[in-house]
PDB file of all heavy atoms in Angstrom:
ATOM      1  N   ARG A1688     194.282  95.806  11.656  1.00 86.00           N
ATOM      2  CA  ARG A1688     194.998  94.547  11.855  1.00 86.00           C
ATOM      3  C   ARG A1688     196.381  94.868  12.392  1.00 86.00           C
ATOM      4  O   ARG A1688     197.028  95.808  11.921  1.00 86.00           O
ATOM      5  CB  ARG A1688     195.111  93.823  10.506  1.00 86.00           C
ATOM      6  CG  ARG A1688     195.375  92.330  10.596  1.00 86.00           C
ATOM      7  CD  ARG A1688     195.336  91.716   9.194  1.00 86.00           C
ATOM      8  NE  ARG A1688     196.212  92.417   8.272  1.00 86.00           N
ATOM      9  CZ  ARG A1688     197.543  92.278   8.240  1.00 86.00           C
ATOM     10  NH1 ARG A1688     198.142  91.439   9.067  1.00 86.00           N
ATOM     11  NH2 ARG A1688     198.283  92.956   7.383  1.00 86.00           N
ATOM     12  N   ARG A1689     196.815  94.100  13.391  1.00 81.00           N
ATOM     13  CA  ARG A1689     198.175  94.309  13.921  1.00 81.00           C
ATOM     14  C   ARG A1689     199.173  94.029  12.802  1.00 81.00           C
ATOM     15  O   ARG A1689     199.030  93.050  12.090  1.00 81.00           O
ATOM     16  CB  ARG A1689     198.455  93.359  15.073  1.00 81.00           C
ATOM     17  CG  ARG A1689     197.457  93.470  16.148  1.00 81.00           C
ATOM     18  CD  ARG A1689     198.087  93.704  17.500  1.00 81.00           C
ATOM     19  NE  ARG A1689     197.229  94.642  18.217  1.00 81.00           N
ATOM     20  CZ  ARG A1689     197.674  95.691  18.889  1.00 81.00           C
ATOM     21  NH1 ARG A1689     198.958  95.924  18.948  1.00 81.00           N
ATOM     22  NH2 ARG A1689     196.848  96.477  19.507  1.00 81.00           N
ATOM     23  N   GLY A1690     200.141  94.860  12.632  1.00 82.00           N
ATOM     24  CA  GLY A1690     201.150  94.655  11.610  1.00 82.00           C
ATOM     25  C   GLY A1690     200.753  95.231  10.260  1.00 82.00           C
ATOM     26  O   GLY A1690     201.440  95.016   9.260  1.00 82.00           O
ATOM     27  N   ASP A1691     199.647  95.963  10.196  1.00 88.00           N
ATOM     28  CA  ASP A1691     199.244  96.648   8.973  1.00 88.00           C
ATOM     29  C   ASP A1691     200.380  97.585   8.536  1.00 88.00           C
ATOM     30  O   ASP A1691     200.914  98.339   9.348  1.00 88.00           O
ATOM     31  CB  ASP A1691     197.968  97.443   9.290  1.00 88.00           C
ATOM     32  CG  ASP A1691     197.407  98.160   8.084  1.00 88.00           C
ATOM     33  OD1 ASP A1691     198.092  99.062   7.558  1.00 88.00           O
ATOM     34  OD2 ASP A1691     196.284  97.826   7.693  1.00 88.00           O
ATOM     35  N   PRO A1692     200.788  97.553   7.255  1.00 91.00           N
ATOM     36  CA  PRO A1692     201.940  98.371   6.834  1.00 91.00           C
ATOM     37  C   PRO A1692     201.719  99.876   7.016  1.00 91.00           C
ATOM     38  O   PRO A1692     202.656 100.600   7.375  1.00 91.00           O
ATOM     39  CB  PRO A1692     202.135  98.012   5.357  1.00 91.00           C
ATOM     40  CG  PRO A1692     200.931  97.231   4.962  1.00 91.00           C
ATOM     41  CD  PRO A1692     200.313  96.658   6.188  1.00 91.00           C
ATOM     42  N   ASP A1693     200.477 100.346   6.801  1.00 91.00           N
ATOM     43  CA  ASP A1693     200.212 101.780   6.992  1.00 91.00           C
ATOM     44  C   ASP A1693     200.444 102.179   8.444  1.00 91.00           C
ATOM     45  O   ASP A1693     201.022 103.233   8.727  1.00 91.00           O
ATOM     46  CB  ASP A1693     198.770 102.119   6.607  1.00 91.00           C
ATOM     47  CG  ASP A1693     198.561 102.037   5.101  1.00 91.00           C
ATOM     48  OD1 ASP A1693     199.580 102.006   4.385  1.00 91.00           O
ATOM     49  OD2 ASP A1693     197.397 102.000   4.667  1.00 91.00           O
ATOM     50  N   LEU A1694     199.963 101.331   9.359  1.00 92.00           N
ATOM     51  CA  LEU A1694     200.141 101.613  10.780  1.00 92.00           C
ATOM     52  C   LEU A1694     201.618 101.600  11.147  1.00 92.00           C
ATOM     53  O   LEU A1694     202.104 102.461  11.865  1.00 92.00           O
ATOM     54  CB  LEU A1694     199.406 100.582  11.632  1.00 92.00           C
ATOM     55  CG  LEU A1694     197.879 100.605  11.589  1.00 92.00           C
ATOM     56  CD1 LEU A1694     197.321  99.516  12.488  1.00 92.00           C
ATOM     57  CD2 LEU A1694     197.345 101.956  12.032  1.00 92.00           C
ATOM     58  N   ALA A1695     202.323 100.611  10.593  1.00 92.00           N
ATOM     59  CA  ALA A1695     203.753 100.490  10.891  1.00 92.00           C
ATOM     60  C   ALA A1695     204.500 101.722  10.395  1.00 92.00           C
ATOM     61  O   ALA A1695     205.384 102.254  11.091  1.00 92.00           O
ATOM     62  CB  ALA A1695     204.316  99.222  10.260  1.00 92.00           C
ATOM     63  N   ALA A1696     204.122 102.204   9.214  1.00 92.00           N
ATOM     64  CA  ALA A1696     204.779 103.385   8.652  1.00 92.00           C
ATOM     65  C   ALA A1696     204.546 104.599   9.541  1.00 92.00           C
ATOM     66  O   ALA A1696     205.468 105.365   9.840  1.00 92.00           O
ATOM     67  CB  ALA A1696     204.254 103.649   7.234  1.00 92.00           C
ATOM     68  N   LEU A1697     203.289 104.734   9.988  1.00 93.00           N
ATOM     69  CA  LEU A1697     202.956 105.874  10.845  1.00 93.00           C
ATOM     70  C   LEU A1697     203.696 105.794  12.175  1.00 93.00           C
ATOM     71  O   LEU A1697     204.232 106.791  12.674  1.00 93.00           O
ATOM     72  CB  LEU A1697     201.442 105.893  11.076  1.00 93.00           C
ATOM     73  CG  LEU A1697     200.914 107.072  11.871  1.00 93.00           C
ATOM     74  CD1 LEU A1697     201.222 108.374  11.174  1.00 93.00           C
ATOM     75  CD2 LEU A1697     199.415 106.933  12.079  1.00 93.00           C
ATOM     76  N   GLU A1698     203.730 104.563  12.714  1.00 93.00           N
ATOM     77  CA  GLU A1698     204.430 104.365  13.981  1.00 93.00           C
ATOM     78  C   GLU A1698     205.902 104.764  13.836  1.00 93.00           C
ATOM     79  O   GLU A1698     206.462 105.468  14.686  1.00 93.00           O
ATOM     80  CB  GLU A1698     204.316 102.898  14.410  1.00 93.00           C
ATOM     81  CG  GLU A1698     204.936 102.614  15.756  1.00 93.00           C
ATOM     82  CD  GLU A1698     204.910 101.120  16.125  1.00 93.00           C
ATOM     83  OE1 GLU A1698     204.096 100.377  15.527  1.00 93.00           O
ATOM     84  OE2 GLU A1698     205.699 100.712  16.984  1.00 93.00           O
ATOM     85  N   GLY A1699     206.501 104.346  12.693  1.00 93.00           N
ATOM     86  CA  GLY A1699     207.894 104.688  12.431  1.00 93.00           C
ATOM     87  C   GLY A1699     208.090 106.190  12.368  1.00 93.00           C
ATOM     88  O   GLY A1699     209.051 106.734  12.930  1.00 93.00           O
ATOM     89  N   ARG A1700     207.148 106.863  11.702  1.00 93.00           N
ATOM     90  CA  ARG A1700     207.265 108.312  11.535  1.00 93.00           C
ATOM     91  C   ARG A1700     207.240 109.017  12.903  1.00 93.00           C
ATOM     92  O   ARG A1700     208.050 109.903  13.177  1.00 93.00           O
ATOM     93  CB  ARG A1700     206.067 108.787  10.695  1.00 93.00           C
ATOM     94  CG  ARG A1700     206.371 110.002   9.843  1.00 93.00           C
ATOM     95  CD  ARG A1700     205.127 110.418   9.076  1.00 93.00           C
ATOM     96  NE  ARG A1700     204.650 111.714   9.522  1.00 93.00           N
ATOM     97  CZ  ARG A1700     203.407 112.131   9.369  1.00 93.00           C
ATOM     98  NH1 ARG A1700     202.495 111.332   8.821  1.00 93.00           N
ATOM     99  NH2 ARG A1700     203.069 113.327   9.779  1.00 93.00           N
ATOM    100  N   ILE A1701     206.301 108.581  13.732  1.00 93.00           N
ATOM    101  CA  ILE A1701     206.183 109.236  15.047  1.00 93.00           C
ATOM    102  C   ILE A1701     207.406 108.932  15.911  1.00 93.00           C
ATOM    103  O   ILE A1701     207.943 109.817  16.575  1.00 93.00           O
ATOM    104  CB  ILE A1701     204.872 108.794  15.741  1.00 93.00           C
ATOM    105  CG1 ILE A1701     203.690 109.362  14.961  1.00 93.00           C
ATOM    106  CG2 ILE A1701     204.839 109.264  17.184  1.00 93.00           C
ATOM    107  CD1 ILE A1701     202.358 108.819  15.378  1.00 93.00           C
ATOM    108  N   LEU A1702     207.843 107.684  15.866  1.00 93.00           N
ATOM    109  CA  LEU A1702     209.028 107.319  16.654  1.00 93.00           C
ATOM    110  C   LEU A1702     210.243 108.121  16.197  1.00 93.00           C
ATOM    111  O   LEU A1702     211.022 108.605  17.012  1.00 93.00           O
ATOM    112  CB  LEU A1702     209.299 105.822  16.540  1.00 93.00           C
ATOM    113  CG  LEU A1702     208.498 104.929  17.491  1.00 93.00           C
ATOM    114  CD1 LEU A1702     208.748 103.465  17.183  1.00 93.00           C
ATOM    115  CD2 LEU A1702     208.870 105.228  18.944  1.00 93.00           C
ATOM    116  N   ASP A1703     210.394 108.250  14.856  1.00 91.00           N
ATOM    117  CA  ASP A1703     211.508 109.044  14.318  1.00 91.00           C
ATOM    118  C   ASP A1703     211.465 110.451  14.890  1.00 91.00           C
ATOM    119  O   ASP A1703     212.475 110.993  15.323  1.00 91.00           O
ATOM    120  CB  ASP A1703     211.425 109.119  12.787  1.00 91.00           C
ATOM    121  CG  ASP A1703     211.927 107.832  12.153  1.00 91.00           C
ATOM    122  OD1 ASP A1703     212.546 107.033  12.887  1.00 91.00           O
ATOM    123  OD2 ASP A1703     211.687 107.628  10.947  1.00 91.00           O
ATOM    124  N   HIS A1704     210.252 111.002  14.869  1.00 90.00           N
ATOM    125  CA  HIS A1704     210.094 112.365  15.371  1.00 90.00           C
ATOM    126  C   HIS A1704     210.513 112.466  16.835  1.00 90.00           C
ATOM    127  O   HIS A1704     211.255 113.369  17.215  1.00 90.00           O
ATOM    128  CB  HIS A1704     208.636 112.788  15.204  1.00 90.00           C
ATOM    129  CG  HIS A1704     208.386 114.206  15.607  1.00 90.00           C
ATOM    130  ND1 HIS A1704     208.391 115.237  14.706  1.00 90.00           N
ATOM    131  CD2 HIS A1704     208.135 114.756  16.815  1.00 90.00           C
ATOM    132  CE1 HIS A1704     208.174 116.369  15.344  1.00 90.00           C
ATOM    133  NE2 HIS A1704     207.995 116.108  16.625  1.00 90.00           N
ATOM    134  N   LEU A1705     210.036 111.499  17.636  1.00 89.00           N
ATOM    135  CA  LEU A1705     210.340 111.518  19.071  1.00 89.00           C
ATOM    136  C   LEU A1705     211.835 111.376  19.327  1.00 89.00           C
ATOM    137  O   LEU A1705     212.413 112.057  20.158  1.00 89.00           O
ATOM    138  CB  LEU A1705     209.597 110.387  19.787  1.00 89.00           C
ATOM    139  CG  LEU A1705     208.104 110.593  20.022  1.00 89.00           C
ATOM    140  CD1 LEU A1705     207.460 109.295  20.464  1.00 89.00           C
ATOM    141  CD2 LEU A1705     207.893 111.676  21.074  1.00 89.00           C
ATOM    142  N   LEU A1706     212.478 110.455  18.562  1.00 89.00           N
ATOM    143  CA  LEU A1706     213.895 110.188  18.797  1.00 89.00           C
ATOM    144  C   LEU A1706     214.764 111.322  18.288  1.00 89.00           C
ATOM    145  O   LEU A1706     215.721 111.735  18.931  1.00 89.00           O
ATOM    146  CB  LEU A1706     214.287 108.868  18.121  1.00 89.00           C
ATOM    147  CG  LEU A1706     213.597 107.651  18.726  1.00 89.00           C
ATOM    148  CD1 LEU A1706     213.828 106.413  17.879  1.00 89.00           C
ATOM    149  CD2 LEU A1706     214.113 107.416  20.144  1.00 89.00           C
ATOM    150  N   GLN A1707     214.387 111.843  17.096  1.00 84.00           N
ATOM    151  CA  GLN A1707     215.128 112.931  16.476  1.00 84.00           C
ATOM    152  C   GLN A1707     215.210 114.148  17.397  1.00 84.00           C
ATOM    153  O   GLN A1707     216.274 114.697  17.636  1.00 84.00           O
ATOM    154  CB  GLN A1707     214.369 113.330  15.219  1.00 84.00           C
ATOM    155  CG  GLN A1707     215.178 114.024  14.180  1.00 84.00           C
ATOM    156  CD  GLN A1707     214.304 114.220  12.948  1.00 84.00           C
ATOM    157  OE1 GLN A1707     213.123 114.540  13.072  1.00 84.00           O
ATOM    158  NE2 GLN A1707     214.863 114.029  11.777  1.00 84.00           N
ATOM    159  N   ASN A1708     214.041 114.515  17.925  1.00 71.00           N
ATOM    160  CA  ASN A1708     214.012 115.740  18.719  1.00 71.00           C
ATOM    161  C   ASN A1708     214.713 115.588  20.051  1.00 71.00           C
ATOM    162  O   ASN A1708     214.960 116.567  20.729  1.00 71.00           O
ATOM    163  CB  ASN A1708     212.571 116.195  18.943  1.00 71.00           C
ATOM    164  CG  ASN A1708     212.003 116.770  17.683  1.00 71.00           C
ATOM    165  OD1 ASN A1708     212.292 116.261  16.601  1.00 71.00           O
ATOM    166  ND2 ASN A1708     211.234 117.827  17.795  1.00 71.00           N
ATOM    167  N   GLN A1709     215.009 114.372  20.398  1.00 60.00           N
ATOM    168  CA  GLN A1709     215.697 114.156  21.655  1.00 60.00           C
ATOM    169  C   GLN A1709     217.209 114.254  21.462  1.00 60.00           C
ATOM    170  O   GLN A1709     217.935 114.628  22.354  1.00 60.00           O
ATOM    171  CB  GLN A1709     215.315 112.789  22.232  1.00 60.00           C
ATOM    172  CG  GLN A1709     215.805 112.545  23.637  1.00 60.00           C
ATOM    173  CD  GLN A1709     215.256 113.565  24.625  1.00 60.00           C
ATOM    174  OE1 GLN A1709     214.228 114.210  24.384  1.00 60.00           O
ATOM    175  NE2 GLN A1709     215.966 113.760  25.732  1.00 60.00           N
ATOM    176  N   ALA A1710     217.635 113.903  20.216  1.00 50.00           N
ATOM    177  CA  ALA A1710     219.068 113.734  19.961  1.00 50.00           C
ATOM    178  C   ALA A1710     219.964 114.873  20.440  1.00 50.00           C
ATOM    179  O   ALA A1710     220.960 114.612  21.109  1.00 50.00           O
ATOM    180  CB  ALA A1710     219.290 113.460  18.466  1.00 50.00           C
ATOM    181  N   PRO A1711     219.644 116.152  20.122  1.00 49.00           N
ATOM    182  CA  PRO A1711     220.582 117.203  20.520  1.00 49.00           C
ATOM    183  C   PRO A1711     220.692 117.384  22.031  1.00 49.00           C
ATOM    184  O   PRO A1711     221.726 117.830  22.508  1.00 49.00           O
ATOM    185  CB  PRO A1711     220.014 118.477  19.886  1.00 49.00           C
ATOM    186  CG  PRO A1711     218.823 118.075  19.076  1.00 49.00           C
ATOM    187  CD  PRO A1711     218.459 116.705  19.457  1.00 49.00           C
ATOM    188  N   ALA A1712     219.649 117.043  22.750  1.00 43.00           N
ATOM    189  CA  ALA A1712     219.634 117.341  24.179  1.00 43.00           C
ATOM    190  C   ALA A1712     220.610 116.483  24.958  1.00 43.00           C
ATOM    191  O   ALA A1712     221.001 115.430  24.522  1.00 43.00           O
ATOM    192  CB  ALA A1712     218.220 117.149  24.735  1.00 43.00           C
TER     193      ALA A1712
END
Side-chain angles (χ1 to χ4, degrees):
Chain A
R1688 200 175 52 77
R1689 304 233 142 226
D1691 182 296
D1693 289 345
L1694 292 180
L1697 184 60
E1698 184 184 340
R1700 210 181 114 203
I1701 292 170
L1702 276 174
D1703 282 347
H1704 184 95
L1705 284 168
L1706 295 170
Q1707 203 174 40
N1708 286 38
Q1709 189 60 22

